[in-house]
Every structure is written in structure tokens, then in C-alpha cells.
Amino acid sequence: MTALDALRVPDELLARVPAKQRGAGRDDVRLLVSRGTAVSHHAFRELPEQLRAGDVLVVNTSPTLAAAVNGRAGGERVVVHFSTRGEDGRWAVELRRPDGAGATVPRPGGPAGAVVRLPGGAELVLAEPVAGGGPGARLWWARVPEGVPELLRRYGRPIRYGYTERDQPLSAYQTVFALPSADGSGSAEMPSAARPFTAGLVAALVSRGVQFAPLTLHTGVASAEVHEPPYPERFAVPASTAWLVNAARAGGGRVIAVGTTAVRALESSAGPDGVVRAASGWTDLVVTPRRGVRAVDGLLTGLHEPRASHLLMLEAVAGGAALGRGYAQALEHRYLWHEFGDVHLLLPGERGSGSGPVPREGLQSLTL
């Protein structure tokens, strides 16, 4: 829980369509920059001027899947959200009800043994709740037909929530860093902090001396209504990325994660000494202020809803006072929320600027 739980985001600040449909291009969004508690406002295209040679941007290469598929459970119409592929070939899925406007609303999970009919004559069978949840758990392990990636390619569409205006093509949810996986795995929901990047902006950052370090974390279905902590997710940090991150930190560069997924993967591969080592598998790490961060100096991320578990990660990176001031400024200056919205760059305070480090008590006293 954070003091931002009391924050209220007006409906008009929810980004309902991609930036390209609001302006000139994918990178036509705003950039809020927090250096400690010092805040400044920019266009996202000005990101190169906010970084410096020797900085490393850690990016998630997981592709977004067309993870929503219509189905029927008995006589009930449902939408299946395919979340995560397990090592045993099963998939974690969430069943939701259509809301009549193209999005979905929650539905009680289960029961075990329930059969869901899918397009093309395929079926899945619910087996057991994920992570020991009860009968009403949101996510369930399901036995699925072979070839789920092909099923998603033929019949799936990107997961859409009610604050968006209409369905978008899968290309609207792919980042410039996305790479196909050999087994067809990917992210149920877009690693959205990287969405505004374009090839031209990447080239400008490289010209400035900023390096890119890729990793992979296949993100599952978010808990849009109740903001549960993230479930275990598959990740891989290659040796080349570990070397780049360690070299940057040794040389005085800053390691800036692009998105909360990149933080989770990188911190899962960092030892108590902050040294990053090549790693892969499943991570159940939840980054909180108490746990802190070991390898990440800054974070580029979207604007998150009150009560979202990601806010604890942001507070771990930036501190409570910096986070609270940044969100107050985002509301005052009418920034847009969610995956098609504006972005927030959290950096350490500049020495001698009076902007950091800052005590966590500052967040507790903030009134939004």
C-alpha cells in the first residue's frame, strides 16, 4: 500500500487510443522526468537529451500475443485470456465475460474440469487454480490443444480493457524491440513502456552513446480490477546483457530499465552485491521499497493506477517523495494514463540539486 492509493485519475486522462491516432506518430507522447523530487516536462522525442553517454537502457524483447480468444463454457459466452505457458505444456488462463462493448469484465474462476469450446473445434479443460488459489481464483491452469500459438494467430486478438475506445491491430501492441520466440511464447499484455520508441529514436540514442541491453520476460495477464501482485513469469537475462550492465555501473553509467518487466527480470538475476549474472527460468520476485533494487538506477514507465502493485516497485526505485511529486505533476499537467498514454522517466536526483535522495515520509504527507 502507498499514499498514492488515494489518487483519483479522471476518466478524461485515460488514453483510449494509440498515440498515432491522436497525433503524428508512435513517439508523439509526453515525457515526465523526475530527478529525485525535481520534475520537468518534455516530449518523448527529447529522451536522448535526458540521458548521457554511458547510460544503458535495459529493454524487454518479449513479443505481445493476440491472447484473447472467444469461447463457450457450457451455454455461457466467455473470453479466454491466455496468460502464461507452463513447462508442462499447460497454459495459465483467465476466463472473463464479454461486456457487450468489445471489452470484458471479471468472472469467477473455475470450476475444475470445466470444458471451454474454442474456435476451430478446439477445447481446453480447466485443471486447477494457479499458485494455490481457491475455487474462485482468477487464473487457472488449463489443459489445452497443441498449437496454442497458431490458435492465437488465427483467432486471437490483443487483450483489451474497458478504458480503451475500440479494438486495435496486434501491430499497435508490438514494441520496436519485440523478437519472436522459438516456441511461440510471448507476453499476454504489451511491455508498454517501450511502445513510444521508434527506430529513429533508437538511432538517436545510440548516437548519443546510450547502449541497449536486451532481456526477455513474458508478462502474464494483469489483475486489472484488484491489482494482485504479479504471478511467476518466465525470464531470461543473457550473458551479454549482464556484462553490459556490470560494465556500465563500474564505469559510472546509469542502468535504466524500460518498464517494470525489465526491472523484475534484471533484479531477479542480480546478487546481493548488485552484480548481474546470466540467468533464466521463472521469477516470483516482487520488488518493494523494503526489498529495494540492486542493479537498477532509473526506470522509464507508464503512469499506473492507484493501488497497482507496480507502484511499490516505482517507490523502490525512486523513493516515496519523488513518486508522489511526479504523480501530482502528472495530474496537474494532464498527462495520459495506461498503455497508450504518456511516460515517466524516474532518475536519481542530481548531486547538489537539493532533489535527492529524499525521505519516504514525503509521500505520506502528499495530498493529491
Side-chain angles (χ1 to χ4, degrees):
M1 299 286 287
T2 75
L4 290 183
D5 290 345
L7 178 147
R8 307 258 325 168
V9 182
D11 285 349
E12 62 268 23
L13 297 187
L14 306 181
R16 302 189 183 279
V17 295
K20 191 173 182 179
Q21 297 173 26
R22 302 194 304 265
R26 182 174 279 236
D27 58 354
D28 192 27
V29 298
R30 299 165 71 194
L31 175 67
L32 177 73
V33 178
S34 294
R35 288 183 171 84
T37 54
V39 176
S40 57
H41 305 276
H42 308 270
F44 186 73
R45 297 187 186 99
E46 298 171 25
L47 178 63
E49 287 75 52
Q50 308 308 312
L51 303 178
R52 58 193 185 215
D55 287 343
V56 171
L57 290 175
V58 181
V59 297
N60 187 0
T61 63
S62 178
T64 307
L65 301 175
V69 178
N70 292 335
R72 280 194 171 271
E76 178 188 9
R77 292 176 57 221
V78 297
V79 177
V80 183
H81 287 176
F82 284 82
S83 180
T84 304
R85 182 183 181 276
E87 297 293 348
D88 59 2
R90 299 186 303 176
W91 278 73
V93 301
E94 179 185 21
L95 303 190
R96 293 174 67 94
R97 291 193 178 106
D99 69 354
T104 61
V105 294
R107 170 194 181 278
V115 177
V116 179
R117 299 191 302 278
L118 302 171
E123 293 182 342
L124 66 78
V125 181
L126 300 182
E128 60 186 351
V130 169
R138 183 174 64 92
L139 286 177
W140 282 66
W141 287 113
R143 297 188 295 275
V144 297
E146 292 184 6
V148 167
E150 179 60 27
L151 176 79
L152 300 185
R153 281 192 290 270
R154 293 187 63 183
Y155 301 109
R157 61 189 180 277
I159 288 174
R160 175 190 159 198
Y161 291 117
Y163 52 78
T164 56
E165 186 175 288
R166 56 185 177 270
D167 285 346
Q168 299 290 339
L170 184 58
S171 59
Y173 292 84
Q174 298 294 10
T175 76
V176 71
F177 305 111
L179 295 172
S181 299
D183 64 357
S185 295
S187 288
E189 296 183 356
M190 170 177 53
S192 56
R195 189 183 185 279
F197 283 87
T198 63
L201 186 63
V202 170
L205 286 159
V206 171
S207 297
R208 191 171 178 83
V210 176
Q211 298 185 78
F212 287 84
L215 50 70
T216 301
L217 184 137
H218 297 313
T219 184
V221 174
S223 174
E225 288 81 22
V226 298
H227 302 301
E228 300 163 347
Y231 285 87
E233 294 167 321
R234 290 171 57 197
F235 80 104
V237 177
S240 57
T241 287
W243 185 91
L244 273 173
V245 167
N246 294 332
R249 301 197 81 197
R254 296 173 298 184
V255 175
I256 300 162
V258 178
T260 57
T261 61
V263 175
R264 194 181 201 200
L266 195 64
E267 289 292 321
S268 296
S269 66
D273 56 0
V275 175
V276 175
R277 296 168 178 86
S280 63
W282 292 80
T283 178
D284 60 359
L285 176 65
V286 178
V287 177
T288 65
R290 181 173 181 179
R291 188 266 186 191
V293 289
R294 298 167 178 172
V296 173
D297 301 304
L299 172 61
L300 180 72
T301 184
L303 293 163
H304 300 278
E305 284 277 17
R307 299 176 302 282
S309 61
H310 291 316
L311 290 173
L312 292 172
M313 179 186 290
L314 271 60
E315 188 176 343
V317 173
L323 185 60
R325 179 163 172 77
Y327 270 67
Q329 287 281 298
L331 284 175
E332 180 180 344
H333 290 266
R334 314 294 289 174
Y335 279 71
L336 295 180
W337 257 251
H338 291 307
E339 68 266 31
F340 295 139
D342 299 314
V343 286
H344 189 188
L345 177 62
L346 296 154
L347 294 172
E350 300 290 342
R351 290 183 180 178
S353 69
S355 62
V358 293
R360 291 182 59 195
E361 290 77 13
L363 181 59
Q364 306 306 317
S365 62
L366 179 71
T367 301
L368 299 176

